[in-house]
Each structure stands twice: as C-alpha cells, then as structure tokens.
Amino acid sequence: MLRLTGLALGWAAALAFAAVLALQAWYFGHVLWWSQVDPASTAFMRAELARLRQENPKADLRFEWVPYERISAHLKRAVIAAEDARFTEHEGVDWDAIEKAWERNLVRGRVSHGGSTITMQLAKNLFLSGERSYLRKGQELVITYMIEAVMSKRRILEIYLNVAEWGTGVFGAEAGARHHFGVPAARLAPGQAARMAAMLPRPRYYDANPGSAALARRSAFVARWMGSIDPP
C-alpha cells in the first residue's frame, strides 16, 4: 500500500511538473510571437471588457495601436520617469525596488506593493490577472525574463504604451491621448504627457476624478524629472 501511494505521488508530481513546463512554453511562444506581431488584446483588456459588459452588454474598449514613431517622445520620457526610471539599465527586474516593496508588505501584513518595472507590468497585463499574491508575482518574474530575453527595450516600451490602461475602457497611448486631450499620441505636449504618465497607477480613479490634488502633485513630479530621461 505504501509503495502504491509513493508511485501515485510520484506520478502526480511528474504530471504537475509537465503541466508547469507546458504552461511556461505557452507563455514563451506568445512572447516570441509578440516580439514581431502587435498584440490585438491582453488578458487585462479582456478582463476589463468582461467587467464592463456585466453592466452594459454593448460596452466596448477604446483602443487603437500606433507604432513607436507615432507616440510622443514626451510620453515615453514621462512614463519611464513615473514608472521605472532605471528601465534602460536593468534586465527586467529592479531588485532594489522589490526589496523595498517586500519590506513595506511585511509592515502592512499584505501584498500592497510589488516594485514592478515596466517589463513586469507588461508581463502582468499581457498574461495575468490583477490578483496580488506571491505565486502570481513569481510567474510575473518568469515571464518578465522571457520578455527581456526576446524583445528590445524599444519593443517592450512600444507594447507597454499601446496596452496600458488610461481610463475606464481606455487602453493605449492613442486612445488615452484622444480621450483626455483630444489629440493623437504623436502630438502630446510635455505637460499632457506628464499628466497621462501620472495617471498610470490609478487610471480609472483619475479618469473619474481629473481634479484630484494627488494627480496634480504627481504630474508636477513627473514633469520635473522627465527631461532627464533618454528613451530607447
């Protein structure tokens, strides 16, 4: 009986390991594909559309892909300044930021900070849920390294800017620029770019509360630092 139990456990472990490897291969295949082909949607976009359609079956997302050259350099600088100042220097993960986030989480007793880089946020947006857990964070790290191994920093930033959320049902720099300022992403002025970058942590909230004092302070901070950023 003990021998049979041991064999069963061994088979179960082998099957679980094979399933994990298959899942990672699926992720890597998609990363390879998206290194050359523009994503039409992301896991985060699909989840948001499902949420919106629970309230309105006819709801749709505002999203339009634009190439890197048609996104304002001001927005590229502002987003890096706001979200990941060392974006062009690290290999996808900023371990100093993660250590600080870990310490804050221990104090709070829950996962409230992730220390995410732009590449980590892209990994989450493309594939994962908004759940906060260490298991999801671990998968996010694996996908992050896949992305960095396959894509250039320029391609990573291009995809990120095109799939980031900028309001309720608003995704990508083009839709965000037109929604908030009535201009294409290519024509965003420095102040407009700083404000859009400042919205990224809470895009739906700031979309509904454009007069937020916190948004104004964060926008001013981003505007002050974005000039020193050299985007890829």
Side-chain angles (χ1 to χ4, degrees), residues 91-104:
E91 297 179 352
V93 180
D94 188 338
W95 288 106
D96 289 339
I98 288 180
E99 183 179 357
K100 291 176 182 176
W102 173 271
E103 292 170 354
R104 289 195 295 269

Side-chain angles (χ1 to χ4, degrees), residues 14 65 67 97 102-104 113 117-118 127 132 146 151 153 161 169 176 181 187 196 205 210 223 228 231:
W65 182 280
W102 173 271
E103 292 170 354
R104 289 195 295 269
H113 294 80
T117 63
I118 284 174
F127 294 106
R132 290 182 181 272
M146 291 179 184
M151 300 184 192
K153 291 289 187 178
L161 291 172
F181 301 109
R187 290 175 51 196
M196 281 187 61
Y205 175 81
S228 64

